[in-house]
Coordinates of all heavy atoms in Angstrom, one line a residue:
N1013 N 20.7 -4.5 15.6 CA 21.6 -5.6 15.3 C 20.9 -6.8 14.7 O 21.5 -7.5 13.9 CB 22.4 -6.0 16.4 CG 23.4 -4.9 16.9 OD1 23.7 -4.1 16.2 ND2 23.8 -5.0 18.2
E1014 N 19.6 -6.9 15.0 CA 18.9 -8.1 14.5 C 18.4 -8.0 13.1 O 18.1 -9.0 12.4 CB 17.7 -8.4 15.5 CG 18.1 -8.7 16.9 CD 18.9 -10.0 17.0 OE1 18.5 -11.0 16.4 OE2 19.9 -10.0 17.7
L1015 N 18.3 -6.7 12.6 CA 17.7 -6.5 11.3 C 18.5 -7.2 10.2 O 18.0 -7.6 9.2 CB 17.6 -5.0 11.0 CG 16.5 -4.2 11.9 CD1 16.5 -2.8 11.5 CD2 15.1 -4.8 11.7
T1016 N 19.8 -7.2 10.4 CA 20.7 -7.8 9.3 C 20.5 -9.3 9.2 O 20.8 -9.9 8.2 CB 22.2 -7.5 9.6 OG1 22.5 -8.1 10.9 CG2 22.5 -6.0 9.6
K1017 N 19.8 -9.9 10.2 CA 19.6 -11.3 10.2 C 18.3 -11.7 9.4 O 18.0 -12.9 9.2 CB 19.5 -11.9 11.5 CG 20.9 -11.7 12.3 CD 20.7 -12.2 13.7 CE 22.0 -12.0 14.5 NZ 21.9 -12.3 15.9
L1018 N 17.5 -10.7 9.1 CA 16.2 -10.9 8.5 C 16.4 -11.0 7.0 O 16.7 -9.9 6.3 CB 15.2 -9.8 8.8 CG 14.7 -9.8 10.3 CD1 13.9 -8.6 10.5 CD2 14.0 -11.1 10.7
H1019 N 16.3 -12.1 6.4 CA 16.5 -12.3 4.9 C 15.2 -12.6 4.2 O 15.1 -13.4 3.3 CB 17.5 -13.4 4.7 CG 18.9 -13.0 5.2 ND1 19.7 -12.2 4.4 CD2 19.5 -13.2 6.3 CE1 20.8 -12.0 5.1 NE2 20.7 -12.6 6.3
I1020 N 14.1 -11.9 4.6 CA 12.9 -12.0 3.9 C 12.6 -10.6 3.2 O 13.1 -9.6 3.7 CB 11.7 -12.3 4.9 CG1 11.6 -11.3 6.0 CG2 11.9 -13.7 5.5 CD1 10.4 -11.3 6.9
P1021 N 11.9 -10.6 2.2 CA 11.5 -9.4 1.5 C 10.7 -8.5 2.4 O 9.8 -9.0 3.1 CB 10.7 -9.8 0.3 CG 11.0 -11.3 0.0 CD 11.3 -11.8 1.4
S1022 N 11.1 -7.2 2.5 CA 10.5 -6.3 3.4 C 10.2 -5.0 2.6 O 11.0 -4.5 1.8 CB 11.4 -5.9 4.6 OG 11.8 -7.1 5.3
C1023 N 9.0 -4.5 2.9 CA 8.6 -3.2 2.3 C 8.5 -2.2 3.3 O 7.7 -2.3 4.3 CB 7.2 -3.5 1.6 SG 6.6 -2.0 0.7
L1024 N 9.3 -1.1 3.1 CA 9.2 0.1 4.0 C 8.5 1.2 3.3 O 9.0 1.6 2.2 CB 10.6 0.5 4.4 CG 11.5 -0.6 5.0 CD1 13.0 -0.1 5.1 CD2 11.0 -1.0 6.4
I1025 N 7.4 1.7 3.8 CA 6.7 2.8 3.3 C 6.6 3.9 4.3 O 6.1 3.7 5.4 CB 5.2 2.4 2.8 CG1 5.3 1.2 1.9 CG2 4.5 3.6 2.2 CD1 3.9 0.6 1.5
W1026 N 7.3 5.0 4.0 CA 7.6 6.0 5.0 C 7.2 7.4 4.6 O 7.4 7.8 3.5 CB 9.2 6.0 5.2 CG 9.6 6.1 6.7 CD1 9.8 7.2 7.4 CD2 10.0 5.0 7.5 NE1 10.2 6.9 8.7 CE2 10.3 5.6 8.8 CE3 10.0 3.6 7.4 CZ2 10.8 4.8 9.8 CZ3 10.5 2.9 8.4 CH2 10.8 3.5 9.6
G1027 N 6.7 8.1 5.6 CA 6.3 9.5 5.4 C 7.5 10.4 5.5 O 8.3 10.3 6.4
R1028 N 7.8 11.2 4.5 CA 8.9 12.1 4.5 C 8.9 13.1 5.6 O 10.0 13.5 6.1 CB 9.0 12.9 3.1 CG 9.5 12.2 2.0 CD 11.0 12.4 1.9 NE 11.4 11.9 0.6 CZ 12.6 11.4 0.3 NH1 13.5 11.3 1.3 NH2 12.9 11.0 -0.8
E1029 N 7.8 13.4 6.1 CA 7.7 14.4 7.2 C 7.4 13.7 8.6 O 7.0 14.4 9.5 CB 6.5 15.3 6.9 CG 6.5 16.0 5.5 CD 7.8 16.7 5.2 OE1 8.3 17.4 6.1 OE2 8.2 16.6 4.1
D1030 N 7.7 12.5 8.7 CA 7.5 11.7 9.9 C 8.4 12.3 11.0 O 9.6 12.3 10.9 CB 7.8 10.2 9.7 CG 7.4 9.3 10.8 OD1 7.2 9.8 12.0 OD2 7.3 8.1 10.6
R1031 N 7.7 12.7 12.1 CA 8.5 13.2 13.2 C 8.5 12.3 14.4 O 9.2 12.5 15.4 CB 7.8 14.6 13.7 CG 8.0 15.7 12.7 CD 7.6 17.0 13.1 NE 7.8 18.0 12.0 CZ 7.3 19.2 12.0 NH1 6.6 19.6 13.0 NH2 7.6 20.0 11.1
V1032 N 7.7 11.2 14.3 CA 7.7 10.2 15.4 C 8.9 9.3 15.1 O 9.7 9.0 16.1 CB 6.4 9.4 15.4 CG1 6.5 8.3 16.4 CG2 5.2 10.3 15.7
T1033 N 9.0 8.8 13.9 CA 10.2 8.0 13.5 C 10.7 8.6 12.2 O 10.2 8.4 11.2 CB 9.7 6.5 13.2 OG1 8.9 6.0 14.3 CG2 10.9 5.6 13.1
P1034 N 11.7 9.4 12.4 CA 12.2 10.2 11.3 C 12.8 9.5 10.1 O 13.1 8.3 10.2 CB 13.3 11.1 11.9 CG 13.5 10.6 13.3 CD 12.5 9.6 13.7
P1035 N 12.8 10.1 8.9 CA 13.2 9.5 7.7 C 14.6 8.9 7.8 O 14.9 7.9 7.2 CB 13.2 10.6 6.7 CG 12.1 11.5 7.2 CD 12.3 11.5 8.7
S1036 N 15.5 9.4 8.7 CA 16.8 8.8 8.9 C 16.8 7.4 9.4 O 17.6 6.5 9.0 CB 17.7 9.7 9.8 OG 17.0 9.7 11.1
V1037 N 15.7 7.1 10.1 CA 15.5 5.7 10.6 C 15.1 4.8 9.4 O 15.5 3.7 9.3 CB 14.4 5.7 11.7 CG1 14.1 4.2 12.2 CG2 14.9 6.5 13.0
A1038 N 14.3 5.3 8.6 CA 13.9 4.6 7.4 C 15.1 4.2 6.6 O 15.3 3.0 6.1 CB 12.9 5.3 6.5
E1039 N 16.0 5.2 6.4 CA 17.2 4.9 5.6 C 18.1 3.9 6.3 O 18.7 3.0 5.6 CB 18.0 6.2 5.4 CG 17.2 7.2 4.4 CD 17.7 8.6 4.4 OE1 18.7 8.9 5.1 OE2 17.1 9.3 3.7
E1040 N 18.2 4.0 7.6 CA 19.0 3.0 8.4 C 18.4 1.6 8.3 O 19.1 0.6 8.0 CB 19.1 3.4 9.8 CG 19.9 2.5 10.7 CD 20.0 2.9 12.1 OE1 19.4 3.9 12.5 OE2 20.7 2.2 12.9
F1041 N 17.1 1.5 8.4 CA 16.4 0.2 8.3 C 16.6 -0.4 6.9 O 16.9 -1.6 6.8 CB 14.9 0.3 8.6 CG 14.5 0.4 10.0 CD1 15.4 0.6 11.0 CD2 13.2 0.2 10.4 CE1 15.0 0.7 12.4 CE2 12.7 0.3 11.7 CZ 13.7 0.5 12.7
H1042 N 16.5 0.5 5.9 CA 16.6 0.0 4.5 C 18.1 -0.5 4.3 O 18.2 -1.6 3.6 CB 16.4 1.1 3.6 CG 16.5 0.9 2.2 ND1 15.9 -0.3 1.6 CD2 17.1 1.5 1.1 CE1 16.2 -0.3 0.3 NE2 16.9 0.8 0.0
Q1043 N 19.1 0.1 4.9 CA 20.4 -0.4 4.7 C 20.7 -1.6 5.5 O 21.4 -2.5 5.1 CB 21.4 0.7 5.2 CG 21.5 1.8 4.2 CD 22.6 2.9 4.6 OE1 23.3 2.7 5.6 NE2 22.6 4.0 3.9
L1044 N 20.0 -1.8 6.6 CA 20.2 -3.0 7.5 C 19.5 -4.2 7.1 O 19.9 -5.3 7.3 CB 19.9 -2.7 9.0 CG 20.8 -1.6 9.7 CD1 20.3 -1.2 11.0 CD2 22.2 -2.2 9.8
L1045 N 18.3 -4.0 6.5 CA 17.5 -5.1 6.0 C 18.0 -5.5 4.6 O 17.8 -4.8 3.7 CB 16.0 -4.7 6.0 CG 15.3 -4.6 7.3 CD1 14.0 -3.8 7.2 CD2 15.1 -6.0 7.9
P1046 N 18.5 -6.7 4.5 CA 19.2 -7.1 3.2 C 18.2 -7.1 2.0 O 18.6 -6.8 0.9 CB 19.7 -8.5 3.5 CG 19.7 -8.6 5.0 CD 18.7 -7.7 5.5
K1047 N 17.0 -7.4 2.2 CA 16.0 -7.6 1.1 C 14.9 -6.6 1.2 O 13.7 -6.9 1.0 CB 15.4 -9.0 1.1 CG 16.5 -10.0 0.7 CD 15.8 -11.4 0.5 CE 16.8 -12.4 -0.1 NZ 16.2 -13.7 -0.3
S1048 N 15.2 -5.3 1.5 CA 14.2 -4.3 1.7 C 14.1 -3.4 0.5 O 15.1 -3.2 -0.2 CB 14.5 -3.5 2.9 OG 15.6 -2.7 2.8
D1049 N 12.9 -2.8 0.3 CA 12.6 -1.8 -0.6 C 12.0 -0.6 0.2 O 11.2 -0.8 1.0 CB 11.7 -2.2 -1.7 CG 12.3 -3.2 -2.6 OD1 13.3 -2.9 -3.3 OD2 11.8 -4.4 -2.6
L1050 N 12.5 0.6 -0.1 CA 12.0 1.8 0.7 C 11.2 2.7 -0.3 O 11.7 3.0 -1.4 CB 13.2 2.5 1.2 CG 12.9 3.9 1.9 CD1 11.9 3.7 3.0 CD2 14.2 4.5 2.4
Y1051 N 10.0 3.0 0.1 CA 9.2 3.9 -0.7 C 8.9 5.1 0.2 O 8.6 5.0 1.4 CB 7.8 3.2 -1.0 CG 7.9 2.1 -1.9 CD1 8.2 0.8 -1.5 CD2 7.7 2.3 -3.3 CE1 8.3 -0.3 -2.4 CE2 7.7 1.2 -4.2 CZ 8.0 0.0 -3.8 OH 8.1 -1.1 -4.6
W1052 N 9.0 6.3 -0.4 CA 8.7 7.5 0.3 C 7.3 8.0 -0.1 O 7.0 8.0 -1.2 CB 9.7 8.6 0.0 CG 11.1 8.3 0.5 CD1 12.2 7.8 -0.3 CD2 11.5 8.3 1.8 NE1 13.3 7.6 0.5 CE2 12.9 7.9 1.8 CE3 11.0 8.6 3.0 CZ2 13.7 7.8 3.0 CZ3 11.7 8.6 4.2 CH2 13.1 8.2 4.1
V1053 N 6.6 8.6 0.9 CA 5.3 9.2 0.7 C 5.6 10.7 1.1 O 5.9 11.0 2.2 CB 4.2 8.6 1.5 CG1 2.9 9.4 1.2 CG2 4.1 7.1 1.2
E1054 N 5.5 11.5 0.1 CA 5.8 13.0 0.2 C 4.6 13.7 1.0 O 3.5 13.2 1.0 CB 5.9 13.7 -1.1 CG 7.1 13.1 -2.0 CD 8.5 13.2 -1.3 OE1 8.7 14.2 -0.6 OE2 9.3 12.3 -1.6
K1055 N 5.0 14.8 1.7 CA 4.0 15.5 2.5 C 3.2 14.6 3.4 O 2.0 14.8 3.5 CB 3.1 16.3 1.5 CG 3.9 17.4 0.7 CD 3.0 18.1 -0.2 CE 3.9 19.0 -1.1 NZ 3.1 19.7 -2.1
C1056 N 3.9 13.8 4.1 CA 3.2 12.8 5.0 C 4.0 12.6 6.2 O 5.2 12.6 6.2 CB 3.0 11.5 4.2 SG 2.2 10.2 5.0
G1057 N 3.2 12.3 7.3 CA 3.9 12.1 8.6 C 4.0 10.6 8.9 O 4.4 9.9 8.1
H1058 N 3.7 10.3 10.1 CA 3.9 8.9 10.7 C 3.0 7.8 10.2 O 3.3 6.7 10.2 CB 3.8 9.0 12.2 CG 4.3 7.7 12.9 ND1 5.6 7.3 12.8 CD2 3.6 6.8 13.6 CE1 5.7 6.2 13.5 NE2 4.5 5.9 14.0
A1059 N 1.9 8.2 9.6 CA 0.8 7.2 9.2 C 0.5 7.3 7.8 O -0.7 7.7 7.4 CB -0.3 7.3 10.2
P1060 N 1.3 6.9 6.9 CA 1.0 7.1 5.4 C -0.2 6.3 5.0 O -1.0 6.7 4.1 CB 2.2 6.6 4.7 CG 3.1 6.0 5.7 CD 2.7 6.4 7.0
M1061 N -0.5 5.2 5.7 CA -1.7 4.4 5.3 C -3.0 5.1 5.6 O -4.0 4.8 4.9 CB -1.7 3.0 6.0 CG -1.9 3.0 7.5 SD -0.6 3.8 8.5 CE 0.7 2.6 8.5
M1062 N -2.9 6.1 6.5 CA -4.1 6.9 6.9 C -4.1 8.3 6.2 O -5.1 8.8 5.8 CB -4.3 6.9 8.4 CG -4.6 5.6 9.0 SD -4.9 5.5 10.8 CE -4.0 6.8 11.5
E1063 N -2.9 8.8 6.2 CA -2.7 10.2 5.7 C -2.8 10.3 4.2 O -3.3 11.2 3.7 CB -1.4 10.8 6.2 CG -1.3 11.0 7.7 CD 0.0 11.4 8.1 OE1 0.6 12.4 7.5 OE2 0.6 10.9 9.1
R1064 N -2.2 9.3 3.6 CA -2.1 9.3 2.1 C -2.4 7.9 1.6 O -1.5 7.2 1.0 CB -0.8 9.7 1.6 CG -0.4 11.1 2.1 CD -0.6 12.1 0.9 NE 0.0 13.4 1.2 CZ -0.6 14.5 1.0 NH1 -1.8 14.5 0.4 NH2 -0.1 15.6 1.2
P1065 N -3.6 7.4 1.8 CA -3.9 6.0 1.5 C -3.7 5.6 0.0 O -3.3 4.5 -0.3 CB -5.4 5.8 1.9 CG -6.0 7.2 2.1 CD -4.8 8.1 2.4
E1066 N -4.0 6.5 -0.9 CA -3.8 6.2 -2.3 C -2.3 6.0 -2.6 O -2.0 5.0 -3.3 CB -4.4 7.3 -3.2 CG -5.9 7.3 -3.1 CD -6.6 8.5 -3.9 OE1 -5.8 9.1 -4.6 OE2 -7.8 8.6 -3.8
E1067 N -1.5 6.9 -2.1 CA 0.0 6.7 -2.4 C 0.5 5.5 -1.7 O 1.3 4.7 -2.2 CB 0.7 8.0 -1.9 CG 0.5 9.2 -2.8 CD -0.6 10.1 -2.2 OE1 -1.5 9.6 -1.6 OE2 -0.5 11.3 -2.5
F1068 N 0.0 5.3 -0.4 CA 0.5 4.1 0.3 C 0.1 2.8 -0.5 O 0.9 1.9 -0.7 CB -0.2 4.0 1.7 CG 0.2 2.8 2.5 CD1 1.3 2.8 3.3 CD2 -0.6 1.7 2.4 CE1 1.6 1.7 4.0 CE2 -0.3 0.5 3.1 CZ 0.8 0.6 4.0
N1069 N -1.1 2.7 -0.9 CA -1.6 1.5 -1.7 C -0.9 1.4 -3.0 O -0.6 0.2 -3.4 CB -3.1 1.6 -1.9 CG -3.9 1.4 -0.6 OD1 -3.4 0.8 0.4 ND2 -5.2 1.9 -0.6
A1070 N -0.5 2.5 -3.7 CA 0.2 2.4 -4.9 C 1.6 1.8 -4.7 O 2.1 1.0 -5.4 CB 0.3 3.7 -5.6
A1071 N 2.3 2.3 -3.6 CA 3.6 1.8 -3.3 C 3.5 0.3 -2.9 O 4.3 -0.5 -3.4 CB 4.2 2.6 -2.1
L1072 N 2.5 -0.1 -2.1 CA 2.4 -1.5 -1.7 C 2.1 -2.3 -2.9 O 2.6 -3.4 -3.1 CB 1.3 -1.6 -0.6 CG 1.1 -3.0 -0.1 CD1 2.4 -3.6 0.5 CD2 -0.1 -3.0 1.0
E1073 N 1.2 -1.9 -3.8 CA 0.9 -2.7 -5.0 C 2.1 -2.9 -5.8 O 2.4 -3.9 -6.3 CB -0.3 -2.0 -5.7 CG -0.7 -2.8 -7.0 CD -1.9 -2.2 -7.7 OE1 -2.2 -1.0 -7.4 OE2 -2.5 -2.9 -8.5
D1074 N 2.9 -1.8 -6.0 CA 4.1 -1.9 -6.8 C 5.1 -2.9 -6.2 O 5.6 -3.7 -6.9 CB 4.8 -0.5 -6.9 CG 6.1 -0.5 -7.7 OD1 6.0 -0.7 -8.9 OD2 7.2 -0.4 -7.1
W1075 N 5.2 -2.9 -4.9 CA 6.2 -3.8 -4.2 C 5.6 -5.2 -4.4 O 6.4 -6.2 -4.6 CB 6.3 -3.4 -2.7 CG 7.3 -4.3 -2.0 CD1 8.6 -4.1 -2.1 CD2 7.0 -5.4 -1.2 NE1 9.2 -5.1 -1.3 CE2 8.2 -5.9 -0.7 CE3 5.8 -6.0 -0.7 CZ2 8.3 -6.9 0.2 CZ3 5.9 -7.1 0.1 CH2 7.1 -7.5 0.5
L1076 N 4.4 -5.4 -4.1 CA 3.8 -6.8 -4.3 C 4.0 -7.3 -5.7 O 4.3 -8.5 -5.9 CB 2.3 -6.8 -3.9 CG 2.0 -6.6 -2.4 CD1 0.6 -6.4 -2.1 CD2 2.6 -7.8 -1.5
N1077 N 3.7 -6.5 -6.7 CA 4.0 -6.9 -8.1 C 5.4 -7.3 -8.3 O 5.7 -8.3 -9.0 CB 3.5 -5.8 -9.1 CG 2.0 -5.7 -9.1 OD1 1.3 -6.6 -8.9 ND2 1.6 -4.5 -9.5
K1078 N 6.4 -6.6 -7.8 CA 7.7 -6.9 -7.9 C 8.1 -8.3 -7.3 O 8.8 -9.0 -7.8 CB 8.6 -5.8 -7.3 CG 8.7 -4.5 -8.1 CD 9.6 -3.5 -7.4 CE 9.7 -2.3 -8.2 NZ 10.5 -1.3 -7.5
Q1079 N 7.4 -8.5 -6.1 CA 7.6 -9.8 -5.5 C 7.1 -11.0 -6.3 O 7.7 -12.1 -6.3 CB 6.9 -9.8 -4.1 CG 7.4 -8.8 -3.1 CD 9.0 -8.7 -3.1 OE1 9.6 -9.6 -2.7 NE2 9.5 -7.5 -3.4
Q1080 N 6.0 -10.8 -7.0 CA 5.5 -11.9 -7.9 C 6.4 -12.1 -9.1 O 6.6 -13.2 -9.5 CB 4.1 -11.5 -8.4 CG 3.0 -11.6 -7.3 CD 1.7 -11.2 -7.9 OE1 1.6 -10.6 -8.9 NE2 0.7 -11.7 -7.2
Q1081 N 7.1 -11.1 -9.6 CA 8.0 -11.2 -10.7 C 9.3 -11.8 -10.3 O 10.0 -12.5 -11.1 CB 8.2 -9.8 -11.3 CG 7.0 -9.2 -12.0 CD 7.2 -7.8 -12.4 OE1 8.3 -7.2 -12.3 NE2 6.1 -7.1 -12.8
H1082 N 9.8 -11.5 -9.1 CA 11.1 -12.0 -8.6 C 10.9 -12.6 -7.2 O 11.4 -12.1 -6.2 CB 12.1 -10.8 -8.5 CG 12.2 -10.0 -9.8 ND1 12.9 -10.5 -10.9 CD2 11.7 -8.9 -10.1 CE1 12.8 -9.6 -11.9 NE2 12.1 -8.6 -11.4
P1083 N 10.3 -13.8 -7.2 CA 10.1 -14.4 -5.8 C 11.4 -14.8 -5.1 O 12.5 -14.9 -5.6 CB 9.3 -15.7 -6.1 CG 9.2 -15.8 -7.6 CD 9.8 -14.6 -8.3

């Protein structure tokens, strides 16, 4: 219930194969967080920053660039 009250830009980077916190949770968070962007990392579990660091960093860099363009 608290997520809808967060009106700050949020970046969700989620592994498609996450079994700890499944993709359905990412979709729910994305819908509840008003200013969120959701990035998927394919063939990845719960820790995209460690399992797929290049894809994770590319998603984060893309999101950060978007934030600079639309503060």
Side-chain angles (χ1 to χ4, degrees):
N1013 295 335
E1014 299 296 314
L1015 292 178
T1016 59
K1017 297 177 185 176
L1018 295 174
H1019 292 276
I1020 58 170
S1022 303
C1023 180
L1024 304 170
I1025 304 173
W1026 221 274
R1028 280 268 193 211
E1029 312 300 322
D1030 191 338
R1031 293 186 180 169
V1032 176
T1033 311
S1036 61
V1037 174
E1039 292 168 358
E1040 181 180 3
F1041 280 16
H1042 181 49
Q1043 288 184 7
L1044 292 172
L1045 286 163
K1047 292 186 174 184
S1048 67
D1049 292 297
L1050 175 57
Y1051 292 86
W1052 293 107
V1053 180
E1054 301 297 330
K1055 298 179 184 174
C1056 181
H1058 187 66
M1061 72 293 287
M1062 295 184 327
E1063 295 174 46
R1064 301 263 190 222
E1066 291 175 8
E1067 289 95 329
F1068 178 89
N1069 288 338
L1072 182 57
E1073 184 176 16
D1074 180 70
W1075 185 79
L1076 291 170
N1077 287 333
K1078 286 181 183 177
Q1079 299 313 299
Q1080 287 182 340
Q1081 294 170 7
H1082 306 285

